[in-house]
Amino acid sequence: MKNFRDKGAAVSLGLAVLVAAFVALFGTFFSVIVKLVLPPGASFTWWKAVIVLLIALTVGGLIEKCGLKRVLPHVLIFLAVLFVASILSAQWLNVSLVFIPIFLTVVLTLAAVQLKTLWLIDSALTEKIVLLASTGHLLEGQSADLRIESGLRLLESVLPLSEAIVFRLTSEGELSPVGRARSDKSFDSAIERQSSWRENVGLCEQALSRRETIVQPVEGAAGAARIVLPLVYENVAVGVLFVKINENFVREDQHLLEAFSGQLARNFQRKELRERSLPHESWWSSFSSYSAENRLDMISLVHGIIKEQSFSAIASSYLKEAHAIAYLDGTLAYLNRRMRHLAKLDSEEISRIDLFGLLQRFKTDVFNEPQLAIRRVLQTGDTFKSELYYAESNKTLDMQITLVKVPTGSASIHETNVPLKPACFLITFRDVSAVKENERLRSDMASLMSHELRTPITSISGFTELLLADKTISEENREFLAIINSESQRLSKMLSTFLSVSNLEQSDKQEFHKSPVKLDTVVREVVGDLQENAKRKRIRLVEQPNKHLPPVAADKSLITRAVAHLIDNAIRYSPERTSVFISTILESDFLRVVVEDRGYGIASSEQEKIWQKFYRVARDGQDKEEESTGLGLSLVKEIVEQHGGAVTVESEIGTGSRFSFTLPRL
């Protein structure tokens, strides 16, 4: 904008100098015409030319700085005073004040500078319109020709087409075929094909002149018809769609074809407007009627693109999820119907509410500071996820706040591996109450199965042990009882494993309620509970707390379980007379819990596998723990990730391992 103003000021002063030179050049001619103001014999001397130049520069500079509307009243007053002074000085003092040259200088300077300003504004406006129209194709995805081809393929898939032809109306008023789909393989003669073609073209011209759909049944074929639809967009005819259907044509098919023809008309209009010469190609285009028509066409093109893109917003109103789009300044750009319903917003409130006001309507004990969530999304670029439970309505909502990024420059939104910049926020709420209820019922059934199956298995195992204790039982029967006892114990272990896996798979879906939790307190409690286990193996647990940790939003029982698994694993797989260090660390946006041992270590090739279900590290010379199912670390990973955190491991063979996980801070 500064360069535009500097350029305009220089041009204005240049025009003022040209006007002054013009007036000075023809000063003698003005003196001859106006005899009442300039006495006979007066000449246009150099000092008069200097006055004219100064006045021209002054007027040009004032208009450029203040604008014509503010300067014009003062100029009119100046000219009126100068006119009166000129008359008086000519009659009483016999002195000429060169009113006519000054008057012409002022008027011509006003006209020239104002025309220049209008020309510059018009040129800038034209460039903006052309830029907007030329970059609009970045949203279209495909060219108009490709969209015609894909549209014809769509028609072939949903209608029993015999033939479909798309005609384009040329500038000469003739119909030119630009797309054709044909499934009729009949072998007609050349004369019959030409006759049929002329008949079809005539029907198309008739529909185009009447600007209405023509449906012509085919004689001798039930359900067959020829349908001709004019392609009209914004009251401008751009082409014709001819369709021939062999069978089963119904009224609903006509509605489909009319909707499709409307899309074709938009494609044709867009293609035609893009093929025209741009209105800013020449400096004189601002004064050209043809260029002015092109500018109107560019506006129509932009209007069509905007209208087509608005379909996505309309389509989102049919989604079950609640969606809202907000600009980076917090202004809400769009809320779909479901979001308005969840937030309980009426039409008046929608126009007044902003992003933070919307999120305030979904506050819970865990999600109580929406501004922190927005800040985290802006700083990291990662999607913020949270599960919100409302006890008063027994409703659970899954929330996501995503930072939408768009390509920089003129890159298309469909391209990949291009630089991106933040554009807006996408807020999504999904009602998962029914899913949570189903998971709860499934968990209850698993618990019921556990109780009902464990009881008979325990009875079978107990009674077989009693029978085995009877010395009077024969060896053959004792062998059978031993098999029964062994298989019942194996079945019991299988049941325990099944229940562990079931609980693990539901750990990221089960209903849990987040609340502010102090991680140092959780660590201290777990260390206290596991001290006896550590003492039995002569292992020292060393807690390294951080007393200045902020709380995290978490389910305390699950986080306690995750910490206990890590410390218990460190105790189990560490040699005697070693130490296990447990520390809590505050990072920028996360809190980290670290469990470090001096155990056997894990090979780098296995460090990714240990988080998998049932995976256990095999070590030479050491037996695996019989009660271990290989589910502990997998469970830790599931618990941490459902809280929005991550797990890591660093280990070397013979040196030890360092397990840690992070949780987002409040």
Side-chain angles (χ1 to χ4, degrees), residues 34-55:
V34 188
K35 296 180 180 180
L36 295 177
V37 177
L38 297 179
S43 61
F44 196 85
T45 58
W46 65 269
W47 62 269
K48 297 179 180 178
V50 171
I51 293 176
V52 168
L53 176 61
L54 292 176
I55 291 177

Side-chain angles (χ1 to χ4, degrees), residues 394-534:
N394 193 27
K395 181 180 292 186
T396 304
L397 299 179
D398 181 66
M399 179 188 69
Q400 290 188 7
I401 303 176
T402 304
L403 183 62
V404 179
K405 298 180 180 180
V406 297
T408 58
S410 59
S412 170
I413 61 173
H414 304 286
E415 295 181 14
T416 57
N417 300 324
V418 296
L420 301 176
K421 62 180 181 180
C424 61
F425 295 102
L426 173 64
I427 300 92
T428 303
F429 287 93
R430 185 166 61 95
D431 191 344
V432 293
S433 303
V435 176
K436 292 297 176 181
E437 180 64 20
N438 291 336
E439 293 297 334
R440 186 187 64 80
L441 293 176
R442 200 166 82 176
S443 178
D444 292 344
M445 181 166 292
S447 299
L448 180 62
M449 287 178 59
S450 171
H451 180 269
E452 295 298 327
L453 289 177
R454 282 182 184 276
T455 300
I457 291 174
T458 302
S459 299
I460 293 172
S461 178
F463 282 116
T464 53
E465 290 177 358
L466 289 175
L467 290 174
L468 285 171
D470 189 355
K471 302 298 184 179
T472 62
I473 296 178
S474 65
E475 288 299 324
E476 184 179 7
N477 291 334
R478 186 178 297 277
E479 182 180 354
F480 293 153
L481 289 173
I483 293 174
I484 295 173
N485 185 45
S486 175
E487 292 301 315
S488 63
Q489 290 181 2
R490 191 166 74 90
L491 184 59
S492 180
K493 289 182 179 180
M494 290 176 60
L495 178 60
S496 298
T497 303
F498 166 76
L499 292 174
S500 297
V501 173
S502 178
N503 291 332
L504 176 63
E505 290 178 345
Q506 294 185 34
S507 64
D508 61 334
K509 301 175 184 177
Q510 64 183 342
E511 185 175 354
F512 67 97
H513 307 298
K514 293 182 180 180
S515 60
V517 175
K518 298 283 288 185
L519 276 182
D520 52 345
T521 303
V522 172
V523 169
R524 183 167 58 253
E525 293 174 354
V526 174
V527 169
D529 295 338
L530 296 178
Q531 281 290 358
E532 289 299 324
N533 294 347

Side-chain angles (χ1 to χ4, degrees), residues 516-533 541 543-545 555-565 567-568 571 582 584 593:
V517 175
K518 298 283 288 185
L519 276 182
D520 52 345
T521 303
V522 172
V523 169
R524 183 167 58 253
E525 293 174 354
V526 174
V527 169
D529 295 338
L530 296 178
Q531 281 290 358
E532 289 299 324
N533 294 347
L541 298 182
E543 183 184 358
Q544 298 173 330
D555 186 306
K556 185 176 180 181
S557 63
L558 290 179
I559 296 301
T560 301
R561 191 175 178 185
V563 175
H565 270 294
I567 300 177
D568 183 63
I571 296 172
I582 306 99
T584 49
V593 177

Side-chain angles (χ1 to χ4, degrees), residues 379-394:
Q379 290 176 343
T380 64
D382 298 330
T383 299
F384 178 85
K385 300 180 181 180
S386 183
E387 199 168 87
L388 311 180
Y389 176 72
Y390 303 91
E392 64 276 6
S393 58
N394 193 27

Side-chain angles (χ1 to χ4, degrees), residues 59-160:
V59 173
L62 288 175
I63 296 176
E64 184 63 33
K65 183 177 182 180
C66 303
L68 180 63
K69 185 176 181 180
R70 295 176 60 184
V71 172
L72 186 60
H74 302 284
V75 170
L76 294 177
I77 294 174
F78 167 74
L79 291 177
V81 172
L82 180 62
F83 176 76
V84 174
S86 298
I87 296 296
L88 294 177
S89 63
Q91 292 183 355
W92 301 98
L93 301 177
N94 198 27
V95 176
S96 172
L97 296 182
V98 290
F99 171 74
I100 291 299
I102 292 176
F103 174 79
L104 291 177
T105 299
V106 172
V107 172
L108 292 177
T109 301
L110 287 173
V113 174
Q114 185 64 14
L115 285 175
K116 178 273 311 177
T117 302
L118 295 177
W119 174 72
L120 287 179
I121 294 175
D122 182 82
S123 299
L125 177 62
T126 301
E127 290 181 2
K128 293 293 184 182
I129 294 175
V130 171
L131 177 63
L132 184 60
S134 60
T135 56
H137 73 281
L138 300 178
L139 300 173
E140 297 173 22
Q142 293 182 331
S143 65
D145 293 334
L146 291 177
R147 296 180 74 167
I148 292 173
E149 294 179 9
S150 63
L152 290 177
R153 287 196 299 269
L154 174 65
L155 285 183
E156 286 184 304
S157 65
V158 298
L159 294 176

